């Protein structure tokens, strides 16, 4: 039997003595593609950072590759942070950002090794942005930004890839491109964990989702976990779940006008249809 | 045109000039990290704290570098700790501690008689104050800083650009932060005679800001900022001598002029290129990160 690549046992974690997520249990096997779904502030980023040993763990154990994660030993994990945290005016070029992934493993000299340069070029080519290599990061579009930081993660040859909201703020086409890239990577054996607050656009198409809100509310296939009850406990709002064949669609019910309230949202409602384009 | 050669006949001027040029390069180099990490206030705070330590040391009859060094390193580590914690009021705490330390120095100096001349020198810098021993200290700090930046370049770049992710990728940020704080404190102590307590912060901030206007590359910015710092200090020291103004003030005025000229030139170039006025200052670190650009 294979060992899980990620295992959380009764994990309570947070910042400065205040727990953000409590009693989290989950096992993720090598090769899985998992989504963390939840509203903003639910603790998705905190959970991802727990796998990196970058938050305080008050109780329980975080295991990656069967090894306890702590400040000292860090397994090779690829991490693409939420890009809102990046200073886009910083004087750095695309290839420099990619080679940062090797910052601690590429020798003592300030300049990159030839192999780092070559690997960075190759990755940028694979991701379809080779022509951006020498450009300043300010010149990138949303999708290109994601690819650059993905390349910085991939240059470490990680077996586990964590992405924080990789599709927030990008258009539909870019979102689909990014997701296809991740699925391709997943097919080569990389375990992928993405956080997202987009249910229909992203989470509903994944083989496994964890609903997060201060802990794990539910864990399983979207078909099984996207029920009005679980969604209410995750997002705190009323949701309508629409099923069409293998597709699960979720629409919220904002209670803005009484007339909509009367009949709810039927299968073919404009909102459900608008979300179905994904 | 004043005769630029004859002041070089005086040992005090040669030593002042050598010290100022090295100090300019040093503050320009370390300033790149200070500016890009948005810690501009730290130079101001540290120099004021160091002043207090130096005066206490002077009154107690302790060597300047021993007193200022101990005080400076402790303050640097404390300031570093508070900023890492991101608590509300951390900046206020830094302000209180460093200004109080400064006030202690002022109080002690005011009690002593016949030190007003020294007081001006301490606040605004004095090219007369540089001894051979000081030159060695400045050279030592400069060489050490260059070596540190050279051999931790990649980690420093990572930590400065993306402090959130750097530790996850194995960069020893805690250790590097402490090292940086020590180097910064050493820079300020080595610079305080030439620059003066109140002028150091500007000499740390202006050269990197000018360099940032001229390049989009981190490595180039490091070299350029150090070079500009050195040139500005060299020119400033001559101005200080001929115009008889405090050396720190002369150097800061020179770099401020360079900043104004560069900003105007870069803005004009942008204007010509794009056909409309555009703020060149956009390239500088904003108080808040700019929102990402989308197609
Ligand atoms: N560095 C931090 N220090 C203290 N609290 C934090 C920090 N980062 C996040 N938090 C808090 O943790 C909670 C969950 O945040 P986060 O994990 O980022 O949620 P999500 O990613 O699901 O939006 C929020 O209430 C937030 O205020
Ligand atoms: Mg988040």
């Amino acid at each position: 039997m294979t060992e899980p690549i990620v295992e959380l046992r009764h994990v309570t974690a947070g910042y400065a003595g205040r727990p953000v997520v409590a009693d989290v249990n989950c096992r993720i096997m090598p090769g899985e593609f998992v989504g963390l779904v939840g509203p903003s502030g639910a603790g998705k980023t905190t959970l991802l950072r727990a796998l990196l040993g970058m938050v305080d763990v008050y109780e329980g154990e975080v295991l990656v590759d069967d090894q306890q994660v702590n400040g000292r030993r860090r397994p090779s994990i690829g991490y693409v942070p939420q890009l809102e945290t990046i200073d886009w005016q910083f004087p750095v070029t695309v290839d420099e950002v990619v080679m940062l992934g090797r910052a601690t493993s590429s020798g003592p000299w300030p300049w990159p090794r030839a192999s780092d340069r070559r690997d960075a070029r190759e990755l940028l080519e694979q991701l379809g942005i080779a022509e951006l290599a020498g450009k300043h990061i300010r010149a990138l579009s949303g999708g290109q930004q994601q690819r650059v930081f993905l390349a910085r993660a991939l240059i470490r040859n990680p077996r586990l890839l964590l992405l924080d909201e990789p599709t927030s703020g990008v258009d539909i086409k870019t979102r689909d491109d990014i997701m296809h890239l991740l699925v391709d990577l997943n097919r080569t054996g990389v375990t992928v964990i993405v956080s997202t607050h987009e249910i229909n656009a992203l989470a509903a198409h994944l083989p496994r989702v964890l609903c997060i809100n201060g802990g794990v509310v539910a864990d399983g296939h979207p078909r099984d976990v996207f029920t009005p009850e679980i969604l209410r406990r995750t997002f705190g709002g009323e949701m309508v779940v629409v099923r069409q064949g293998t597709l699960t669609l979720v629409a919220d019910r904002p209670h803005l006008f009484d007339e909509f309230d009367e009949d709810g949202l039927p299968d073919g409602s404009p909102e459900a249809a608008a979300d179905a384009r994904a | 045109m004043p005769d630029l050669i004859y002041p070089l006949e005086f040992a005090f001027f040669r030593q002042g000039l050598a010290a100022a040029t090295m100090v300019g390069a040093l503050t320009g180099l370390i300033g790149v990290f200070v500016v890009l990490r948005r810690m501009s206030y730290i130079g101001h705070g540290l120099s004021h704290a160091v002043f207090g330590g130096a005066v206490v040391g002077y009154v107690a009859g302790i060597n300047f570098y021993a007193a200022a060094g101990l005080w400076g390193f402790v303050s640097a580590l404390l300031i570093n700790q508070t900023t890492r914690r991101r608590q509300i009021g951390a900046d206020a705490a830094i302000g209180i501690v460093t200004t109080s330390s400064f006030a202690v120095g002022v109080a002690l100096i005011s009690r002593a008689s016949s030190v007003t001349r020294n007081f001006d020198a301490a606040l605004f810098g004095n090219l007369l104050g540089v001894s051979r021993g000081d030159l060695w200290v400045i050279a030592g700090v400069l060489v050490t800083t260059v070596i540190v930046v050279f051999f931790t370049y990649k980690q420093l770049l990572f930590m400065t650009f993306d402090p959130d992710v750097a530790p996850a990728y194995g960069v020893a940020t805690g250790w590097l932060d402490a090292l940086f704080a020590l180097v910064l404190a050493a820079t300020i102590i080595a610079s305080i005679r030439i620059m003066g307590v109140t002028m150091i912060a500007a000499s740390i901030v202006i050269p990197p800001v000018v360099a940032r206007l001229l390049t989009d590359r981190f490595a180039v910015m490091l070299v350029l900022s150090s070079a500009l710092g050195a040139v500005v200090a060299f020119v400033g020291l001559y101005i200080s001598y001929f115009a008889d103004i405090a050396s720190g003030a002369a150097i800061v005025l020179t770099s401020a002029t360079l900043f104004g000229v560069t900003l105007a030139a870069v803005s004009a170039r942008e204007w010509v290129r794009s056909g409309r006025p555009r703020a060149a200052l956009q390239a500088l670190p904003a108080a808040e990160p700019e929102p990402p650009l989308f197609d």
Side-chain angles (χ1 to χ4, degrees):
Chain A
M1 201 195 108
T2 47
E3 295 292 319
I5 190 165
V6 170
E7 184 166 12
L8 302 183
R9 295 186 192 141
H10 301 288
V11 171
T12 297
Y15 308 89
R18 264 176 316 202
V20 171
V21 288
D23 198 27
V24 175
N25 290 289
C26 90
R27 287 156 66 94
I28 294 172
M29 304 308 280
E32 278 201 85
F33 197 131
V34 180
L36 307 180
V37 194
S40 132
K44 305 181 293 293
T45 302
T46 305
L47 268 182
L48 290 179
R49 290 169 68 93
L51 302 183
L52 296 158
M54 283 162 49
V55 293
D56 300 334
V57 175
Y58 306 117
E59 267 171 65
E61 282 181 307
V62 181
L63 299 163
V64 173
D65 257 344
D66 227 19
Q67 302 246 6
Q68 191 121 9
V69 171
N70 57 34
R72 272 165 290 123
R73 195 198 151 276
R74 295 174 193 280
S76 180
I77 303 179
Y79 176 48
V80 181
Q82 215 167 337
L83 296 186
E84 275 92 277
T85 62
I86 299 297
D87 172 7
W88 297 103
Q89 296 296 337
F90 195 95
V92 73
T93 56
V94 165
D95 46 358
E96 281 175 327
V97 170
V98 176
M99 287 183 288
L100 283 182
R102 296 255 173 96
T104 54
S105 62
S106 66
W109 306 115
W111 43 84
R113 293 178 307 188
S115 57
D116 301 330
R117 230 185 262 278
R118 195 186 51 232
D119 293 350
R121 288 273 159 173
E122 239 165 60
L123 269 172
L124 289 175
E125 237 156 70
Q126 271 175 36
L127 297 177
I129 48 172
E131 75 283 357
L132 296 174
K135 288 254 165 67
H136 185 271
I137 54 167
R138 169 185 354 93
L140 305 175
S141 69
Q144 291 166 342
Q145 293 175 342
Q146 275 295 337
R147 282 162 207 257
V148 172
F149 283 83
L150 183 59
R152 183 180 73 176
L154 293 178
I155 202 167
R156 301 165 64 75
N157 299 316
R159 292 177 54 223
L160 174 61
L161 189 57
L162 314 177
L163 301 100
D164 203 354
E165 311 253 0
T167 62
S168 87
V170 299
D171 57 47
I172 301 168
K173 163 89 169 65
T174 309
R175 184 182 68 211
D176 288 351
D177 288 349
I178 292 170
M179 288 314 290
H180 279 118
L181 255 168
L182 296 180
V183 170
D184 286 345
L185 276 168
N186 181 239
R187 289 214 178 94
T188 68
V190 180
T191 310
V192 180
I193 306 178
V194 295
S195 81
T196 182
H197 61 263
E198 298 173 278
I199 308 177
N200 293 324
L202 208 164
H205 308 282
L206 301 180
R208 178 179 174 192
V209 292
L210 272 71
C211 296
I212 308 293
N213 194 353
V216 177
V217 177
D219 176 357
H221 192 277
R223 177 182 58 232
D224 304 319
V225 298
F226 287 162
T227 66
E229 164 62 12
I230 290 173
L231 289 167
R232 182 172 49 243
R233 283 200 283 141
T234 307
F235 286 90
E238 288 299 315
M239 309 264 188
V240 180
V241 179
V242 184
R243 294 182 201 284
Q244 259 179 5
T246 59
L247 205 60
T248 304
L249 291 173
V250 178
D252 48 4
R253 222 178 186 178
H255 292 281
L256 292 181
F257 301 101
D258 285 345
E259 16 180 330
F260 290 147
D261 233 16
E262 303 270 299
D263 48 17
L265 281 169
D267 272 6
S269 76
E271 252 154 286
D275 277 329
R277 69 207 157 176
Chain B
M1 181 83 193
D3 182 352
L4 296 179
I5 304 298
Y6 95 87
L8 290 173
E9 283 169 17
F10 307 114
F12 80 87
F13 186 79
R14 287 198 306 273
Q15 283 174 9
L17 196 62
T21 309
M22 287 193 287
V23 160
L26 181 59
T27 50
L29 176 60
I30 210 78
V32 171
F33 299 98
V34 172
V35 165
L36 291 177
R37 294 176 84 184
R38 299 155 205 264
M39 308 194 318
S40 297
Y41 59 88
I42 232 175
H44 199 76
L46 256 183
S47 57
H48 283 71
V50 162
F51 175 77
V55 175
V56 168
Y58 177 75
V59 170
I62 307 169
N63 173 276
F64 165 79
Y65 288 112
L70 188 64
W71 202 289
F73 288 166
V74 171
S75 326
L77 290 176
L78 282 177
I79 290 178
N80 197 38
Q81 281 303 311
T82 19
T83 39
R84 277 168 66 102
R85 236 170 251 141
R86 283 208 214 163
Q87 284 163 336
I88 306 169
D91 52 343
I94 292 169
I96 293 168
V97 171
T98 57
T99 312
S100 308
S101 176
F102 182 63
V104 168
V106 172
L108 286 175
I109 262 196
S110 316
R111 297 276 299 157
S113 54
S114 77
V115 284
T116 34
R117 170 80 192 157
N118 285 334
F119 195 38
D120 278 359
L123 289 187
F124 311 117
N126 188 345
L127 66 91
L128 292 174
V130 180
S131 69
R132 277 195 162 271
D134 294 332
L135 270 184
W136 282 112
V137 170
I138 294 169
V141 174
L142 177 60
V143 169
T144 309
T145 305
V146 170
I147 290 174
V148 165
V149 170
F150 191 86
F151 285 111
T152 58
Y153 173 83
K154 290 171 184 168
Q155 285 99 319
L156 273 177
L157 170 59
F158 203 161
M159 190 178 81
T160 311
F161 172 54
D162 195 353
D164 261 3
V165 179
Y169 280 7
V171 176
T173 46
W175 189 84
L176 266 183
D177 258 340
L179 184 67
F180 179 77
L182 294 187
V183 168
L184 181 63
T187 297
I188 283 169
I189 292 161
S191 312
I192 208 159
R193 296 221 169 147
I194 282 288
M195 291 310 306
V197 175
T198 55
M199 297 290 151
I200 285 184
S203 78
I204 288 178
V205 170
I206 299 177
V209 166
V210 175
R212 182 65 189 91
L213 287 173
L214 297 172
T215 181
D216 263 346
R217 304 196 70 110
F218 186 69
V220 178
M221 184 176 168
L222 282 176
V223 175
L224 196 58
S225 177
S226 313
L228 289 174
V231 168
V232 154
F234 186 92
V235 173
L237 207 81
Y238 264 104
I239 294 175
S240 157
Y241 178 82
F242 285 110
D244 194 21
I245 48 183
S247 54
I251 292 170
V252 167
L253 282 176
T254 311
S255 56
T257 307
L258 178 68
F259 170 70
V261 170
T262 310
L263 183 61
V266 171
S267 305
R269 190 188 62 188
E270 285 296 323
W271 194 344
V272 169
R273 191 183 284 169
S274 64
R276 70 197 150 84
R278 179 180 154 266
L281 279 174
Q282 271 181 342
L284 301 179
E288 287 289 303
E290 297 276 322
L293 306 160
F294 302 119
D295 290 296

